[in-house]
Amino acid sequence: MIQVQSKLKVADNSGARQVLCIRILKKSRATTGGVGDIITVAVQKTRPHKRVKKKDIRIAVIVRVKQPRQSDNGFKLSFNENSCVLVADAKDLTPLGTRLAGPIAVRELRKAKAMKCVLLSNHAI
C-alpha cells in the first residue's frame, strides 16, 4: 500500500520518472492507498524537454502496488514496484502521457472509473 512520503515510479511518458506521494485523496483521514486510488504527488526526477518539470505538484492514479492484494475472484496480485500515472484532472482521470509502460491491474482501475488509463495500456492483467 502507498503511504504519504512513499516514492513511486511513473508508468507513462509524461516526462516524470519518480514522484513522492504527498496526500491520498480518497477520504479525509486515509493513511494508505491502493490500486485505483487518486493521490497528490510531487515530481522529483524528470526526463529532459518534457511537459512535466521538477518540483511540480500533480494528481496521479496508482496503477501498480508491490504488496500482494487478493482480488474478488480469489487470485493474489502483486507487482515488482509501486507506480502511478499522472492525470490532468481528478474528476475525469485523463492521463498526461500518451503511452503506459508495464502491466496494470485492469479490474481495480475499472472500479475506480479510470477507463482512459486502461485503454492506453498494452499489458493488461
Side-chain angles (χ1 to χ4, degrees):
M1 295 296 156
I2 304 300
Q3 298 177 343
V4 176
Q5 298 293 318
S6 295
K7 291 185 179 182
L8 297 97
K9 290 187 178 181
V10 179
D12 61 2
N13 62 348
S14 61
R17 285 185 179 173
Q18 187 177 20
V19 294
L20 179 76
C21 177
I22 296 174
R23 175 131 173 116
I24 292 123
L25 295 177
K26 70 176 178 182
K27 295 179 184 173
S28 61
R29 294 179 188 237
T31 57
T32 60
V35 175
D37 289 339
I38 303 167
I39 58 174
T40 304
V41 296
V43 178
Q44 289 193 331
K45 292 182 183 177
T46 60
R47 294 181 180 99
H49 310 295
K50 293 286 187 169
R51 185 187 321 185
V52 178
K53 303 297 180 199
K54 191 174 179 181
K55 299 181 185 177
D56 281 353
I57 305 296
R58 299 287 180 151
I59 304 292
V61 176
I62 301 171
V63 293
R64 289 191 286 268
V65 177
K66 196 169 185 176
Q67 181 179 1
R69 179 179 174 177
Q70 188 164 358
S71 61
D72 295 336
N73 56 7
F75 289 107
K76 286 191 178 180
L77 183 65
S78 66
F79 297 101
N80 291 335
E81 61 188 15
N82 297 325
S83 65
C84 65
V85 172
L86 299 181
V87 294
D89 190 11
K91 293 185 180 182
D92 62 351
L93 300 178
T94 304
L96 286 179
T98 57
R99 290 186 216 145
L100 296 183
I104 63 167
V106 175
R107 288 181 195 263
E108 288 83 1
L109 289 176
R110 282 185 180 164
K111 285 181 186 177
K113 307 285 193 258
M115 286 302 297
K116 293 177 185 176
C117 295
V118 173
L119 294 174
L120 285 179
S121 72
N122 52 1
H123 299 291
I125 293 178

